[in-house]
Amino acid sequence: MQKPKRLLIVSNRLPYQLQEEDGNFKFSMSSGGLVSALKSYMENSAGSFSEMHWYGNADFNEKEWTEAKKQLPEESAGVKPVFIPKNLKEKHYSGFSNSTLWPHFHYFPTFTKYDHDDYKAYHKVNELFAKAIAENYEEGDVIWVHDYQLLLLPQMLRRRLPDATIGFFIHIPFPSFEIFRMLPREWRENLLEGMLGSDLVGFHTNDYVLHFQKSVRMILGYESKRRIIQTENRAIRSDLFPISIDFNLFNKSFDKPQVKKLKRKIANINPEGKIIFSVDRLDYTKGLQNRLRGYERFLQENPDWYGKVTFNLVVVPSRDVIKKYGESKRKLEELVGRINGTFGQMDWQPIVYQYRSLDFDELCAAYTGCDVALITPVRDGMNLVSKEFVASRKDLRGVLVLSEMAGSAAELGEAVLINPTDLDEISMGIKRALTMPIMMQSRNLEIMQERIRTYDVNMWAHDFMTQLNQVKTLQANKKIREVGPIIRKEMTDAYEKAEKRMLFLDYDGTLMPFQREPYMARPNERVLNLLEKLTSDPKNIVTVISGRDKTTLNEWLGHLPINLVTEHGAARRLRGEDWKQTEKIFNKEWRQEIYHQMNLHVHRCAKSFIEEKTFALAWHYRNADKDLGFLRSRELIDSLYRVINNNMPLQVIDGNKVIEVRMTGVDKGSAAREIFEMERGDFILAIGDDRTDEDMFKALNDVGYTIKVGTESSDAKYNFANITEVLPFFEKISG
Ligand code: GDG
């Protein structure tokens, strides 16, 4: 029987605290969303995991830990503190994590601190985590890493544990490429590579997934097909998993006696009037200043509301050692003072301000005791407060005013959505919310509640784990399998026994190595001899299947009794027949537009050039400066995606140092399968090195052997390490 797996959760902070009284230790666990999600996931996962271990920075020291472990061996079993020296801890946490990544990823690049010492410390701390985890890792463990403080960790783990199952989830936005690229080259490359060490990378929204995929494509050159990113040797999935909350916990809190009691107290703030509520950590991303200015605008424009509305503003202390946070507090308090001073009356204060954190019951009382929740971050990965407010309104009363910049806006479309930088919109949003008919409040809340109830935090964790599992299966299918002695023998035996053999051979990079210019790869004597030998056996049908144009291939190989398929299937000549072309037409206007884009890149990238084919255009950058060629190729792909619209049946192929645009539906897969169907041989072998050969592998995998030349992962069943293995293999097999 298989041993049950262990789930290893990794986050910057451990969710455990250690209290000591008279030498006796007690553990307590914080009640954050992630903690309750994972706890209930463990309970509901029907024994898929035997244990949960949690790695993170600890609030306690090593001495206390040693003592606590002795006293509480069972409770401490899953607690895995990672002890970080103080100087590193500060540079990692307050430095690179919260003064570089946090502002940068939240679109505050002017706040971004560029400090190489901070980066080094960040790197070191990630290494310390990797070391701690790898030391305790057991085969079969599933590792789930969380958030921006540990972006490098997945790759560091991958190096130590090549086969481990590693998931990564980022709780903050992933910025657009234009913002991300502003980071120094070393950082941006390492951060992306770091994340790609995992098997599954999760984000809150589809936009973040697309931003990440674009940065990966532009900076590292790895393409994504649907949700799969293909690196040199692994397939990684990136997808959205909008984090949610424990719906029932918040919904049930409505009936808790303590919550009801506190709610009555809150109502006393303004017994006759309405209450607006907000709670956030003190953070410049949360849009507190604009929120207050928007409220100020509302008061300026709506004197009839004086005395009839009060803003219950709770701000939770956070990261106060960082300068920017200290500044925010000062500015915020000035604003509160100004508004209360300007509009306040003897018996009415427009804002009741508290700078502290609330306990859970107080929080729920505040959610259920308000008329409007005003949540206006200028950027927020998701924003759980908005979901918690919606979930706690079991009475179906209340209105959510929500910034369209919060990740949660994608799911909470029935809220009053506002642009958090537009004071008029905030002001109008407040008015709309305060005057919204009850029927409409209920209708909106009902729809939003249903959504959160269905995709709650348990579902979120479950969804992530299921996909993590699936991606491992996908990788196993794509895993490289070298043609070793056993397979070699199996193929040779099958070849010998067969009555009708069909060989599909790619040309460049398979039969002949790449040359500086395409015309230089004329077949040498050895290749010609091999093809002659293969075709002299009447049992063999040889097809050379290439992306090259028909004229060249005809000139080089036309004299042989073989099938020639050129331009990935757009034209073909079967043995003893004439050339035939596809009826699909590469429209002249499209061709001009594509040519224009490619030509721009020829100017921008010395030594690159365009190859014109009947059914395709190809931009080659093999001879260009390596870095520049690569960068320009990413830019070209990007601009091609922009000009090619849905009405143009064209596809962009990112080949081996070549970007090609050709007709969709014309590919080596369709061509090879068609030829196979005509003859239906009993020994089929297809071989190729390029991404375009993947279509051929997929089309023939069910009927024969497929071999990828190179060690990149592929849909082919087997791999040759490199081109030098190709000719000897065929020379041997053909006797
Ligand atoms: C990050 C991302 C993403 C707040 N004050 C009190 C209190 N809270 C609880 C809330 C909520 C949580 O803290 C705050 O979550 P948010 O999502 O609103 O914001 P961040 O802290 O910035 O979280 C964010 C999140 O990660 C999850 O992925 O949504 O975008 O920035 O649960 O209830 N809880 C109590 N007292 C308080 O005073 N008890």
Side-chain angles (χ1 to χ4, degrees):
M1 205 179 84
Q2 238 194 358
K3 203 171 148 245
K5 297 186 270 191
R6 304 184 309 176
L7 177 59
L8 315 185
I9 301 293
V10 192
S11 64
N12 183 50
R13 289 268 282 277
L14 262 187
Y16 301 92
Q17 287 83 39
L18 200 54
Q19 277 104 28
E20 189 206 337
E21 217 174 289
D22 306 328
N24 293 322
F25 283 98
K26 211 174 91 192
F27 273 116
S28 63
M29 199 170 187
S30 38
S31 57
L34 187 60
V35 176
S36 63
L38 294 166
K39 267 201 236 137
S40 78
Y41 174 72
M42 287 295 288
E43 282 156 22
N44 297 326
S45 64
S48 349
F49 290 105
S50 58
E51 290 165 41
M52 177 164 84
H53 291 193
W54 201 307
Y55 289 81
N57 265 297
D59 290 337
F60 42 86
N61 61 35
E62 285 184 80
K63 207 170 140 230
E64 291 165 323
W65 170 237
T66 315
E67 192 47 43
K69 255 194 319 189
K70 267 192 237 152
Q71 279 185 25
L72 307 163
E74 254 176 51
E75 283 168 271
S76 62
V79 184
K80 302 287 171 197
V82 182
F83 292 105
I84 313 282
K86 192 163 173 277
N87 62 332
L88 282 184
K89 202 171 181 168
E90 264 170 36
K91 284 180 185 294
H92 166 258
Y93 184 70
S94 298
F96 198 74
S97 299
N98 285 323
S99 298
T100 304
L101 294 176
W102 177 271
H104 206 77
F105 280 33
H106 283 89
Y107 293 76
F108 283 83
T110 49
F111 288 15
T112 306
K113 187 174 162 204
Y114 295 92
D115 183 322
H116 283 274
D117 283 345
D118 282 356
Y119 176 73
K120 274 188 211 147
Y122 181 85
H123 192 280
K124 269 213 177 105
V125 169
N126 276 253
E127 277 284 358
L128 289 174
F129 269 83
K131 193 166 164 271
I133 297 160
E135 271 167 11
N136 291 316
Y137 175 84
E138 288 175 11
E139 204 186 311
D141 285 350
V142 172
I143 307 173
W144 191 0
V145 181
H146 287 265
D147 229 358
Y148 63 101
Q149 302 91 348
L150 299 170
L151 294 177
L152 300 174
L153 179 59
Q155 184 66 31
M156 292 170 172
L157 285 170
R158 179 67 57 206
R159 275 193 214 116
R160 292 169 160 90
L161 312 165
D163 295 323
T165 301
I166 306 173
F168 179 77
F169 188 83
I170 179 159
H171 291 256
I172 65 172
F174 194 90
S176 73
F177 168 63
E178 285 305 325
I179 293 282
F180 187 74
R181 74 189 301 191
M182 290 168 77
L183 293 174
R185 182 188 291 260
E186 182 199 357
W187 300 359
R188 64 189 192 202
E189 287 178 2
N190 292 351
L191 293 173
L192 293 177
E193 289 284 10
M195 293 167 81
L196 290 178
S198 49
D199 300 300
L200 175 64
V201 192
F203 300 86
H204 285 310
T205 72
N206 198 35
D207 281 342
Y208 306 160
V209 178
L210 298 178
H211 292 162
F212 175 69
Q213 290 182 342
K214 178 158 179 183
S215 283
V216 166
R217 185 171 85 232
M218 301 297 277
I219 294 169
L220 302 178
Y222 304 138
E223 276 299 331
S224 312
K225 208 166 182 187
R226 284 182 219 109
R227 299 291 175 188
I228 301 294
I229 298 172
Q230 184 61 54
T231 69
E232 268 145 33
N233 52 11
R234 297 175 57 243
I236 294 128
R237 190 174 173 92
S238 62
D239 210 341
L240 64 147
F241 303 87
I243 200 171
S244 195
I245 55 162
D246 185 341
F247 180 87
N248 287 331
L249 181 75
F250 283 91
N251 199 250
K252 280 190 189 142
S253 75
F254 187 86
D255 296 319
K256 261 176 109 178
Q258 175 64 3
V259 171
K260 285 186 167 166
K261 194 170 138 205
L262 291 165
K263 194 167 123 183
R264 283 194 290 275
K265 234 168 118 181
I266 292 171
N268 280 336
I269 302 178
N270 194 335
E272 304 296 315
K274 299 218 169 184
I275 293 171
I276 299 175
F277 170 63
S278 79
V279 58
D280 327 70
R281 287 184 303 100
L282 177 67
D283 198 301
Y284 47 84
T285 61
K286 300 288 180 186
L288 281 156
Q289 289 185 39
N290 278 358
R291 184 179 315 167
L292 285 176
R293 290 207 185 91
Y295 181 58
E296 185 179 37
R297 177 77 47 96
F298 167 77
L299 292 176
Q300 280 161 354
E301 289 174 356
N302 297 281
D304 50 322
W305 276 93
Y306 291 178
K308 294 184 193 151
V309 62
T310 301
F311 190 171
N312 178 15
L313 173 71
V314 178
V315 177
V316 181
S318 172
R319 305 175 193 168
D320 36 17
V321 293
I322 301 173
K323 203 167 139 238
K324 284 279 174 228
Y325 287 76
E327 281 170 19
S328 305
K329 179 166 186 272
R330 197 175 31 80
K331 284 191 191 149
L332 178 81
E333 291 179 353
E334 273 170 22
L335 257 175
V336 171
R338 185 173 92 199
I339 296 170
N340 276 343
T342 311
F343 300 97
Q345 298 166 0
M346 278 280 283
D347 55 351
W348 173 60
Q349 209 182 327
I351 303 171
V352 173
Y353 164 65
Q354 300 174 74
Y355 181 64
R356 67 174 180 104
S357 70
L358 309 174
D359 67 27
F360 181 72
D361 288 345
E362 284 178 312
L363 180 72
C364 295
Y367 284 146
T368 51
C370 71
D371 299 280
V372 173
L374 183 58
I375 301 167
T376 61
V378 276
R379 263 318 141 167
D380 213 335
M382 173 52 72
N383 190 288
L384 294 179
V385 169
S386 51
K387 292 191 171 180
E388 291 167 3
F389 165 73
V390 169
S392 40
R393 295 315 294 243
K394 199 176 165 194
D395 57 346
L396 298 180
R397 294 277 192 286
V399 182
L400 171 65
V401 178
L402 178 64
S403 158
E404 58 195 18
M405 297 302 183
S408 59
E411 294 163 87
L412 302 177
E414 290 73 20
V416 174
L417 293 178
I418 51 99
N419 176 339
T421 57
D422 184 338
L423 304 189
D424 285 330
E425 261 197 36
I426 300 178
S427 160
M428 284 188 296
I430 293 173
K431 189 163 176 188
R432 226 181 107 200
L434 287 171
T435 54
M436 186 177 286
I438 285 175
M439 279 243 310
M440 205 149 149
Q441 298 181 17
S442 305
R443 190 199 72 114
N444 291 342
L445 281 168
E446 221 165 0
I447 300 174
M448 293 191 281
Q449 284 187 358
E450 193 45 38
R451 224 170 274 144
I452 306 175
R453 197 197 315 266
T454 325
Y455 196 88
D456 69 356
V457 75
N458 302 325
M459 184 70 184
W460 170 79
H462 189 266
D463 193 9
F464 189 91
M465 282 300 164
T466 312
Q467 286 212 28
L468 184 54
N469 228 341
Q470 283 170 0
V471 81
K472 288 312 266 189
T473 316
L474 179 120
Q475 287 171 349
N477 294 341
K478 278 189 166 237
K479 207 160 190 172
I480 72 154
R481 264 168 292 174
E482 296 221 359
V483 180
I486 298 173
I487 288 299
R488 224 170 259 268
K489 175 148 188 339
E490 185 193 305
M491 280 198 249
T492 314
D493 290 350
Y495 182 91
E496 274 167 15
K497 268 196 230 132
E499 288 302 317
K500 198 195 246 187
R501 309 166 188 135
M502 300 181 78
L503 308 176
F504 293 86
L505 314 172
D506 167 49
Y507 186 79
D508 294 277
T510 302
L511 290 176
M512 282 297 293
F514 284 104
Q515 304 292 334
R516 224 166 10 92
E517 303 279 344
Y519 73 85
M520 293 164 82
R522 177 179 279 280
N524 59 23
E525 226 180 296
R526 189 174 174 193
V527 170
L528 289 173
N529 284 342
L530 174 70
L531 291 174
E532 270 161 25
K533 191 170 167 207
L534 287 171
T535 47
S536 68
D537 185 334
K539 289 182 178 170
N540 288 349
I541 302 168
V542 177
T543 303
V544 170
I545 184 162
S546 164
R548 277 185 179 266
D549 67 289
K550 143 184 159 187
T551 319
T552 316
L553 224 57
N554 198 31
E555 188 200 322
W556 289 350
L557 303 172
H559 62 285
L560 294 167
I562 56 175
N563 297 331
L564 286 178
V565 177
T566 61
E567 295 200 32
H568 303 104
R572 72 173 187 222
R573 189 215 65 182
L574 301 183
R575 299 180 295 174
E577 291 182 14
D578 289 333
W579 280 94
K580 278 201 193 117
Q581 304 199 149
T582 168
E583 272 149 30
K584 299 192 176 176
I585 295 171
F586 197 149
N587 177 308
K588 224 170 147 191
E589 278 159 35
W590 308 339
R591 179 180 272 274
Q592 269 172 4
E593 180 63 52
I594 305 293
Y595 189 90
H596 172 68
Q597 291 298 334
M598 288 186 169
N599 208 22
L600 280 177
H601 284 75
V602 170
H603 297 313
R604 286 182 189 147
C605 182
K607 298 194 186 156
S608 71
F609 61 91
I610 301 173
E611 184 187 359
E612 287 202 62
K613 308 184 190 183
T614 324
F615 298 95
L617 284 171
W619 178 77
H620 292 262
Y621 61 99
R622 181 169 310 283
N623 309 326
D625 171 81
K626 198 168 150 263
D627 284 348
L628 181 70
F630 176 67
L631 181 76
R632 292 290 183 247
S633 69
R634 299 309 100 188
E635 290 168 359
L636 174 60
I637 293 178
D638 207 46
S639 40
L640 288 171
Y641 281 145
R642 248 174 265 174
V643 296
I644 296 175
N645 61 41
N646 290 341
N647 301 327
M648 304 181 182
L650 298 176
Q651 51 182 326
V652 181
I653 309 294
D654 185 12
N656 193 336
K657 301 278 193 305
V658 55
I659 308 294
E660 182 157 338
V661 175
R662 60 174 144 93
M663 310 288 299
T664 45
V666 176
D667 61 71
K668 287 187 179 182
S670 323
R673 187 76 199 193
E674 210 178 306
I675 294 175
F676 163 75
E677 294 296 345
M678 288 175 198
E679 303 281 354
R680 295 197 74 81
D682 54 357
F683 175 90
I684 314 296
L685 194 157
I687 183 163
D689 72 302
D690 198 32
R691 288 186 207 177
T692 57
D693 295 311
E694 295 295 310
D695 294 324
M696 174 165 77
F697 302 146
K698 277 185 249 170
L700 297 177
N701 264 339
D702 63 327
V703 291
Y705 297 99
T706 50
I707 304 178
K708 155 98 182 169
V709 181
T711 50
E712 296 89 4
S713 70
S714 158
D715 280 302
K717 289 183 183 161
Y718 304 103
N719 295 64
F720 276 152
N722 56 51
I723 188 172
T724 60
E725 293 191 41
V726 179
L727 295 185
F729 172 80
F730 283 103
E731 285 161 353
K732 189 140 192 236
I733 205 170
S734 57

